Amino acid sequence: MQRGAEQAGTGERRACAPAGVRARVRALLVGFGLAGVLAGCAAEQTGAVLAPAAVTVPAEAPRTTGRQRPADSDHLKLVASFGGEYRSPATLQLLGEVTDRLVRASDRPDQTYAVTLLDSSVVNAFALPSGRLYVTRGLLALASDTSEIAAVLAHEIAHVTLAHATARTELELRSQLVSRVVADVLNDPTTGAQLQNQSRFALARFSREQELEADGVGVRTLARAGYDPYGAGRFLTSLNRTLALKTGTGAPGEPDMLATHPGTAERIALVTRAARRSGAPGIGVDDRARYLAAIDGLAYGDNPGEGAVRGRRFIHPSLGIAFEVPDGFAIENTRNAVLGTTPEGSRRLLFDQVDAESGQGLDAVLKATWNDAIEPGSVELREVGPYPAATALSRGKDWTFRLAALRVGDATYRMIMAAKGATDPDPAFRRWIASLAAVSPSETQALRPLRLQVVQASSQSAEDLARRMAVPDRALDRFLVLNGLERGAALRPGQSYKIVTE
């Protein structure tokens, strides 16, 4: 969660339309899982996303293949929106060498690429038409060997060589032009609106077809470069499992019909078929040992400067605040908000910072930033610890909400808890808001980023290494996903595995 909802690296405060904020917050609370729209203002991100965004870069320049490109404003803004570049020379060197090898095996060996490692815990990779490739450290943490990260890069290189971004832009412009001509020139706004709506489906279908095409081309490039072509399927399987782990349901949610990517299960089937056409399992190299050596010590999870989750406690040193969620909640720190849910999804919570006009009362803040009706007589002005606050109750069709706006210094925060059905979450809600407090200097000094550590197994038991994982919950599940292992799998004594440590 970033301070003041500012855009990273720019210092520019984003203006939020209250109605839009209210609608997004309620939708997020009711549909929390892997929603891409966060409470407050959601920043637009460009590029072809491989998955639900470091080549660690030496201070002087990003690693490039061929001629170096000058930095441009779009690149700088994009990097800033993902937390900046992550510095790790060993990781950067590996990514650069893998990219070089893939480019030589691609359909456009003359194309120039620059790869940037992003300081973000989300699992993401994307490409720009210029040949800029972006990979997050969160994605690197999920991959288990060099062939898997090569599969990601080959997919993104395929987007560039196939000119997908250019083709999509042309289709968008044609669709917009047709809709505008019908609505404005032919004076038929109803048909123009219908055409515009149809174009959204056409673009979604077009993007989905591009993703599948890039998957197929990427696997062929992977095999020609001498990497294990089955690495693509392994990585997508790990991605599927980490999404399921993130939702807390044990199974990934159904993709939105307008999502720009096909369902991961469909992609796994496609890349597995493409790998079989390249040969039987065992062909190509996975170069696992070198990959693990390159990411050993990589930062894992949140950047503590932008808030960190430690068990049930959220700590934000820059904002100077912390709170603890009730038992049963697992929480996640996102760019714009802290989100929480219980395993069965019947209770959810949200914490974020909102803009308040000078002199605006906290009761007015609640009403201005909430889309549903607030129960008459439920608004209460009170003190929560040392902080002035306003609390209220809101009942929707399927959910009951408890809301609070609190003022800490010059900042205003919201704390929202939802319970499915008519159950009032008030007791847990009051315990939660009462836990909001200033962060002590000693706690700030003790807060360290989590890191990946590569260790050797001393037994066949996955539980032995899972007990060393510094994660808030489901340590065994997280260890298995992190290492591409199925439940019940036996470890190989002496082989290296990833764990998360402080």
Side-chain angles (χ1 to χ4, degrees):
M1 176 177 169
Q2 292 183 339
R3 181 177 185 133
E6 293 175 349
Q7 289 185 344
T10 65
E12 176 185 354
R13 184 174 295 275
R14 292 169 289 156
C16 302
V21 172
R22 295 195 300 266
R24 281 194 292 271
V25 168
R26 188 175 188 281
L28 182 147
L29 280 168
V30 174
F32 171 68
L34 294 171
V37 179
L38 304 177
C41 297
E44 290 292 326
Q45 295 166 0
T46 59
V49 182
L50 170 72
V55 176
T56 300
V57 188
E60 62 272 12
R63 172 65 183 258
T64 61
T65 297
R67 176 175 54 85
Q68 178 144 336
R69 303 176 184 278
D72 53 60
S73 60
D74 289 341
H75 166 72
L76 295 176
K77 289 177 182 177
L78 193 152
V79 170
S81 72
F82 277 86
E85 295 183 19
Y86 185 80
R87 309 286 172 170
S88 169
T91 313
L92 174 61
Q93 181 177 353
L94 174 67
L95 291 175
E97 291 176 4
V98 170
T99 301
D100 290 344
R101 186 166 166 176
L102 291 169
V103 171
R104 289 195 298 269
S106 73
D107 296 332
R108 288 283 311 277
D110 59 327
Q111 173 72 45
T112 301
Y113 292 88
V115 59
T116 300
L117 182 57
L118 299 172
D119 191 6
S120 172
S121 62
V122 301
V123 179
N124 210 344
F126 46 93
L128 297 183
S130 62
R132 286 194 177 274
L133 307 177
Y134 301 87
V135 181
T136 62
R137 58 175 172 81
L139 187 144
L140 293 178
L142 184 61
S144 292
D145 59 49
T146 305
S147 71
E148 291 186 19
I149 199 64
V152 173
L153 292 168
H155 174 99
E156 300 308 331
I157 288 171
H159 276 303
V160 177
T161 59
L162 294 167
H164 279 164
T166 301
R168 192 178 193 282
T169 299
E170 291 175 353
L171 180 59
E172 288 175 336
L173 291 174
R174 285 199 303 270
S175 300
Q176 292 170 5
L177 179 60
V178 170
S179 300
R180 191 176 303 117
V181 167
V182 172
D184 299 342
V185 178
L186 302 183
N187 196 26
D188 189 353
T190 300
T191 303
Q194 291 174 346
L195 287 171
Q196 189 172 24
N197 191 49
Q198 291 170 6
S199 73
R200 293 173 63 238
F201 288 90
L203 285 168
R205 184 170 59 250
F206 185 65
S207 296
R208 175 183 172 280
E209 291 169 353
Q210 287 183 331
E211 289 301 313
L212 294 175
E213 185 181 20
D215 278 339
V217 172
V219 171
R220 290 198 299 273
T221 303
L222 193 64
R224 286 201 298 262
Y227 291 111
D228 178 5
Y230 291 85
R234 289 198 302 274
F235 178 80
L236 288 174
T237 298
S238 294
L239 173 64
N240 216 22
R241 292 175 63 201
T242 199
L243 293 181
L245 189 63
K246 208 173 178 67
T247 63
T249 63
E254 289 299 317
D256 187 287
M257 65 181 301
L258 288 179
T260 58
H261 297 79
T264 308
E266 180 183 8
R267 297 180 66 192
I268 292 171
L270 184 147
V271 298
T272 301
R273 287 196 300 270
R276 285 172 181 158
R277 287 193 291 270
S278 300
I283 65 170
V285 298
D286 61 25
D287 208 2
R288 184 174 184 272
R290 187 182 174 208
Y291 182 75
L292 293 180
I295 65 169
D296 192 13
L298 192 77
Y300 180 86
D302 303 325
N303 181 340
E306 295 179 0
V309 175
R310 296 293 184 267
R312 292 189 293 115
R313 188 165 175 78
F314 173 73
I315 309 160
H316 202 307
S318 299
L319 296 177
I321 57 171
F323 59 76
E324 190 166 298
V325 299
D327 286 336
F329 277 92
I331 54 175
E332 176 188 7
N333 181 33
T334 72
R335 186 167 180 261
N336 294 75
V338 179
L339 309 175
T341 185
T342 53
E344 75 288 349
S346 64
R347 290 188 297 161
R348 289 157 186 175
L349 58 79
L350 176 146
F351 172 89
D352 68 353
Q353 184 175 356
V354 294
D355 289 331
E357 298 177 5
S358 178
Q360 186 178 27
L362 292 173
D363 53 344
V365 171
L366 282 182
K367 293 174 182 177
T369 59
W370 189 245
N371 203 37
D372 286 347
I374 290 176
E375 288 278 297
S378 71
V379 177
E380 178 185 357
L381 296 175
R382 49 182 298 213
E383 298 287 321
V384 176
Y387 309 121
T391 59
L393 171 67
S394 176
R395 296 187 185 275
K397 179 182 177 182
D398 301 312
W399 293 79
T400 300
F401 300 89
R402 278 288 174 177
L403 324 170
L406 302 94
R407 187 157 288 136
V408 180
D410 295 329
T412 302
Y413 301 100
R414 285 183 310 179
M415 302 178 77
I416 303 170
M417 185 175 287
K420 201 164 189 177
T423 303
D424 188 347
D426 189 51
F429 172 74
R430 288 182 181 270
R431 290 195 302 274
W432 177 38
I433 64 174
S435 73
L436 185 68
V439 179
S440 68
S442 60
E443 190 171 23
T444 297
Q445 289 180 345
L447 191 62
R448 297 284 185 272
L450 299 179
R451 296 195 176 276
L452 290 179
Q453 183 180 358
V454 177
V455 298
Q456 289 187 337
S458 58
S459 73
Q460 293 184 329
S461 172
E463 287 82 356
D464 287 348
L465 288 184
R467 280 191 285 270
R468 298 171 60 181
M469 294 272 289
V471 292
D473 60 356
R474 304 183 68 177
L476 177 58
D477 289 334
R478 295 182 190 280
F479 170 78
L480 295 174
V481 170
L482 199 61
N483 289 281
L485 300 171
E486 298 293 336
R487 183 171 283 276
L491 305 187
R492 296 181 182 179
Q495 183 164 306
S496 296
Y497 296 92
K498 293 176 284 182
I499 62 172
V500 178
T501 60
E502 288 193 79

